[in-house]
Amino acid sequence: MNSRHTETSLVWGHSALRVVIAISPDGVVGIRELSAGGPVPRSPAQPLVEVLLAGQGRARASHRFSDTAVGRRFTYVGAEQVRDGKWHELRITLRDEQTGLEAHTHLRSAEGVPAVRSWTTIDNRGAHEAVVLGVTSFAAGFPAGSAGGLDVVRGDSEWLGESRWRVRPLREETADLNLPLHGQDGRGRLAVTSTGTWSTGQHLPTAGLLDRESGRAWLWQVEHNGPWRWEIGERRDGVYVALLGPTDIDHQWHTVLAPGESFTTVPASVAVSSGGLHGEGLHRAGLHGAVAALTAHRRALVRPHQDRARLPVVFNDYMNTLMGDPTTAKLIPLIDAAAEAGAEVFCIDAGWYDDDGDWWDSVGEWQPSQTRFPRGIEEVLSHIRTRGMVPGLWLEPEVIGVRSPMAGKLPAGAFLQRGGTRIVEHGRYHLDLRHPAAVAHLDEVVDRLVEQLGVGYFKLDYNIDPGAGTDVDAVSPGAGLLACNRAHLAWLEAVLDRHPDLILENCASGAMRMDYALLSRMQLQSTSDQQDPLLYPPIAVAAPLSVLPEQSASWAYPQPAMDDEQVAYSLCTGMLGRLYLSGHLPTMTGAQRDAVRAAVAAYRGIRGDLATAVPVWPLGLPGWADPWLSLGLTTPGHTYVGVWCRADERTTASLSLPHLAGRRVGVEVVYPRHLPAWDGEWDQERGRLVLTKPVPGPSARIFRISHASPPDSSLPL
């Protein structure tokens, strides 16, 4: 600990991270430095923990989670530093003498990774109940000269239009109010929230701040499979960031802590970057550096699983193919074609449990259909295994259709309720996994399908959102929902404990629940339900901002009616992530099937690099209607670059790869090699690859750029 005048500093971190906690007897306890180790300006005096109590409120009226009355009063009690394998952890204890509340802040960071995970536990050590309306998981001031030099990077999402990112000046979201003149902090804020259980159904819990002048950047994620809030606001001394799970004002959440009781927030993570890559503008360098840090942090968070070493190619029969109408007659030729293409998992999607053709509101028992599979689904699953693939099934475990036999077999307490009435959404009830009968039912389903039918892969879908929550055994609907969210995570952990080789895909009407509460446990993520191959690339290109490349499953669904360029275009969309195939392969021409096989073979050749690759965006973050789109994945030896051109005419794009500036490189086409080459030239000095699409219509290519010295830097591609 270092001391200067009356303020004491607690310094913590490791080789890639430096955190300085300011402790002052007459001021707030807060993070004054969060950096990758280089010098940074002193951060604003934002309290380390904000707690909003019904009986205390804020120090000044606002709707912000900055300067709550309790947060301002917290004083430092002590700290403990712990080492747990690769993880460094700092535990700080604060106390409010007036209420008797203690706050325990946990900061946890993996060695060598400039990122930190944070959460807060509140203990009521006072003599009276505390009605808690909100607690920050993380709160700190951003180190910057002025708000006017900051940009906000954030993403919106919806069904079929996931991961739409934008970078905008903070001043477009908050006005310059000349706060020092008024002698008060502001009252406004940019607050982004998600309600219900579609954690990424409208906005994304990942966002960031970028300093245009210095290149410093923070990128954060709230790691919760339910409601959350992040906010940015301006104080007299700078800008603060607050990250939270559910709150009273946003989510009908509050909890009551009796003396001796405690509450723990959902976790949130913040990655930091100092920017400054050679040849790259500081602004873009800061974002790419923060993405690299958050990517490494996510890899440290995810549960160990054999899938991460293999990254098998998955064929799923749904998208633009069987569309929820599987039968033995339809599946057998599709299984054979998928095996011949090189798929390693074959997943039978929705409909395998349906006997009457109208299954939406009757699901929940999960017994195989007898009409669709006259000799039993075992015949089909056995055929999948015979062809060398792992059999998979679609499952939507958290719902029970209103016409399902299980709706009457399970007790009322096994369902989410409001006012004694089961919540119904789109013809389904929602299970409450706090109830042992709900857990026992799902455990029986999973164990039966795995142990009796040999299923090794589940696509876990989730197509309803029950709203604010349940008031059963909860002081507020939001508190009931938070407990249910946590019970869902515990159920997933138990499933993988019993079946450690089982592969779980996270899906929720595409990517409506793409958060790292779930993705730290499940192996891959569906990125969209988008059926238009021209609209899918911006989703796939943007996905690595939210999810690891090796978890990012984007559909590649070539069809017999497509021409050669369209087939390749669709296949390229899935190749810089988890190749997730579909399409009517059996009715394709021989040349088309060869193109699919070549794509799978090419993917197998590069997938070993995906689990260590770091994403970059050579054309900037993708816009929904951009004619050119590009995603790069960098490794120590290669940079893989996917490029999609949606323009009809011959056109040219210049891809920025500043990490390769000043180097001679080798460029080769990974896929497709059987189609006309694009024209290309390498600008060695600027680190730019200039590409010209010579063919009409939409076209795409995957390139490998080797960090070596070819005989000539002007390259026909």
Side-chain angles (χ1 to χ4, degrees):
M1 300 180 73
N2 301 318
S3 178
R4 191 183 70 175
H5 306 299
T6 60
E7 184 174 274
T8 303
S9 296
L10 171 62
V11 181
W12 171 80
H14 50 72
S15 61
L17 183 74
R18 175 179 166 87
V19 179
V20 178
I21 309 293
I23 305 166
S24 173
D26 54 358
V28 301
V29 178
I31 295 175
R32 286 303 181 95
E33 182 181 336
L34 175 60
S35 72
V40 297
R42 187 175 174 83
S43 297
Q46 163 62 43
L48 177 66
V49 177
E50 299 285 11
V51 180
L52 187 62
L53 297 185
Q56 297 288 326
R58 297 172 174 85
R60 285 188 179 271
S62 75
H63 285 165
R64 312 201 310 180
F65 279 90
S66 178
D67 282 335
T68 57
V70 174
R72 287 283 296 271
R73 292 198 306 261
F74 271 135
T75 58
Y76 179 78
V77 174
E80 179 184 12
Q81 298 188 37
V82 178
R83 185 69 185 268
D84 178 15
K86 64 185 175 184
W87 293 99
H88 300 257
E89 186 169 328
L90 175 65
R91 303 168 185 170
I92 305 168
T93 299
L94 310 176
R95 181 174 174 83
D96 174 34
E97 294 296 340
Q98 182 171 324
T99 61
L101 290 187
E102 283 191 354
H104 306 276
T105 294
H106 299 254
L107 301 178
R108 187 170 167 86
S109 181
E111 172 64 39
V113 179
V116 63
R117 196 183 204 204
S118 175
W119 67 95
T120 305
T121 296
I122 300 296
D123 288 337
N124 185 359
R125 299 188 180 276
H128 305 286
E129 285 187 342
V131 180
V132 183
L133 307 179
V135 184
T136 54
S137 299
F138 172 89
F142 183 80
S146 70
L150 298 181
D151 284 344
V152 180
V153 55
R154 54 181 290 198
D156 294 328
S157 197
E158 64 178 293
W159 183 59
L160 309 180
E162 295 85 349
S163 300
R164 304 190 314 277
W165 286 84
R166 62 185 184 273
V167 180
R168 297 287 187 272
L170 179 59
R171 278 288 175 248
E172 291 186 5
E173 307 283 358
T174 61
D176 184 354
L177 304 176
N178 194 0
L179 294 174
L181 176 66
H182 298 83
Q184 297 185 34
D185 292 334
R187 300 184 182 183
R189 74 281 184 260
L190 167 62
V192 177
T193 65
S194 179
T195 61
T197 50
W198 277 358
S199 59
T200 56
Q202 184 177 6
H203 306 294
L204 297 180
T206 303
L209 274 176
L210 313 174
D211 187 337
R212 290 190 295 274
E213 182 177 346
S214 69
R216 285 185 294 272
W218 285 4
L219 196 63
W220 58 79
Q221 60 184 24
V222 183
E223 296 161 5
H224 184 42
N225 54 329
W228 52 262
R229 170 187 176 113
W230 61 257
E231 71 174 56
I232 302 167
E234 190 171 3
R235 305 162 48 93
R236 282 170 294 171
D237 54 355
V239 171
Y240 75 91
V241 173
L243 311 178
L244 305 94
T247 68
D248 172 70
I249 194 170
D250 302 309
H251 310 112
Q252 301 182 47
W253 178 91
H254 74 269
T255 191
V256 178
L257 299 183
E261 292 183 336
S262 65
F263 168 75
T264 298
T265 69
V266 306
S269 294
V270 181
V272 299
S273 171
S274 57
L277 287 177
H278 172 71
E280 184 172 19
L282 290 174
H283 186 269
R284 177 181 283 186
L287 175 60
H288 284 174
V291 169
L294 190 54
T295 298
H297 181 70
R298 287 167 174 163
R299 288 184 172 128
L301 288 179
V302 297
R303 177 186 174 114
H305 195 281
Q306 54 87 18
D307 174 80
R308 297 178 67 189
R310 296 180 58 241
L311 304 184
V313 176
V314 178
F315 187 98
N316 181 296
D317 67 30
Y318 183 82
M319 188 63 73
N320 291 347
T321 310
L322 299 188
M323 299 298 290
D325 188 26
T327 66
T328 300
K330 293 176 181 178
L331 284 169
I332 294 300
L334 201 56
I335 292 166
D336 291 336
E340 291 167 6
E344 294 152 304
V345 174
F346 190 101
C347 183
I348 303 172
D349 208 277
W352 59 269
Y353 38 78
D354 168 53
D355 277 322
D356 62 11
D358 185 19
W359 52 260
W360 182 263
D361 59 359
S362 64
V363 296
E365 200 167 23
W366 309 114
Q367 293 289 344
S369 169
Q370 297 300 312
T371 58
R372 293 179 177 276
F373 312 108
R375 291 182 293 276
I377 198 173
E378 294 85 349
E379 176 189 20
V380 178
L381 298 175
S382 176
H383 192 67
I384 293 171
R385 284 189 292 271
T386 299
R387 294 308 308 261
M389 296 181 290
V390 174
L393 290 176
W394 179 94
L395 198 64
E396 194 170 356
E398 296 158 82
V399 303
I400 300 290
V402 296
R403 293 193 300 112
S404 171
M406 295 307 302
K409 293 179 181 179
L410 291 171
F415 300 93
L416 300 190
Q417 301 177 51
R418 292 292 292 275
T421 299
R422 294 186 193 182
I423 295 172
V424 175
E425 177 72 9
H426 198 177
R428 274 102 173 270
Y429 300 122
H430 195 296
L431 286 174
D432 184 340
L433 291 180
R434 296 176 300 169
H435 197 284
V439 173
H441 165 61
L442 292 189
D443 284 348
E444 184 280 327
V445 169
V446 169
D447 293 349
R448 167 169 48 85
L449 296 176
V450 172
E451 295 168 4
Q452 297 181 21
L453 298 184
V455 173
Y457 180 105
F458 283 115
K459 176 180 178 178
L460 298 183
D461 211 341
Y462 183 67
N463 290 298
I464 67 168
D465 182 342
T470 178
D471 53 16
V472 174
D473 296 327
V475 297
S476 65
L481 185 60
L482 176 59
C484 292
N485 296 144
R486 287 172 163 167
H488 177 217
L489 299 178
W491 176 74
L492 288 171
E493 292 275 8
V495 166
L496 288 170
D497 287 344
R498 295 197 307 278
H499 308 291
D501 294 332
L502 185 64
I503 303 172
L504 300 181
E505 174 192 340
N506 188 33
C507 181
S509 285
M512 299 293 93
R513 203 164 59 170
M514 184 170 56
D515 59 73
Y516 264 86
L518 292 169
L519 284 169
S520 63
R521 294 162 170 88
M522 293 202 264
Q523 286 67 62
L524 67 162
Q525 170 70 53
S526 170
T527 61
S528 185
D529 277 353
Q530 177 56 248
Q531 292 179 245
D532 186 339
L534 288 179
L535 294 181
Y536 210 128
I539 298 170
V541 168
L545 271 165
S546 295
V547 60
L548 289 170
E550 61 267 30
Q551 290 181 300
S552 177
S554 295
W555 290 93
Y557 36 56
Q559 301 296 339
M562 292 179 174
D563 64 28
D564 291 345
E565 285 287 350
Q566 291 170 335
V567 167
Y569 184 98
S570 176
L571 289 163
C572 285
T573 298
M575 290 185 65
L576 292 187
R578 292 298 294 270
L579 185 54
Y580 202 73
L581 283 171
S582 197
H584 290 282
L585 304 187
T587 55
M588 286 183 170
T589 67
Q592 288 175 323
R593 290 196 298 272
D594 288 342
V596 177
R597 278 193 293 270
V600 173
Y603 174 78
R604 285 179 166 182
I606 69 174
R607 64 182 172 184
D609 283 338
L610 293 183
T612 60
V614 175
V616 296
W617 289 269
L619 294 174
L621 298 184
W624 188 252
D626 286 355
W628 283 89
L629 303 157
S630 182
L631 169 64
L633 296 178
T634 67
T635 71
H638 304 94
T639 296
Y640 298 97
V641 179
V643 187
W644 292 258
C645 180
R646 299 190 282 187
D648 288 331
E649 69 278 4
R650 176 184 172 92
T651 182
T652 297
S654 179
L655 280 61
S656 176
L657 298 164
H659 64 291
L660 300 178
R663 303 174 66 175
R664 302 183 72 196
V665 301
V667 183
E668 61 178 320
V669 177
V670 173
Y671 183 82
R673 295 184 177 182
H674 60 288
L675 296 180
W678 286 11
D679 300 321
E681 185 172 345
W682 174 244
D683 183 338
Q684 180 175 323
E685 181 179 355
R686 300 169 63 202
R688 288 185 173 271
L689 180 60
V690 181
L691 294 172
T692 300
K693 176 181 71 77
V695 296
S699 183
R701 298 290 186 270
I702 306 292
F703 300 100
R704 179 192 288 113
I705 303 177
S706 299
H707 308 167
S709 297
D712 192 338
S713 60
S714 178
L715 303 172
L717 302 179

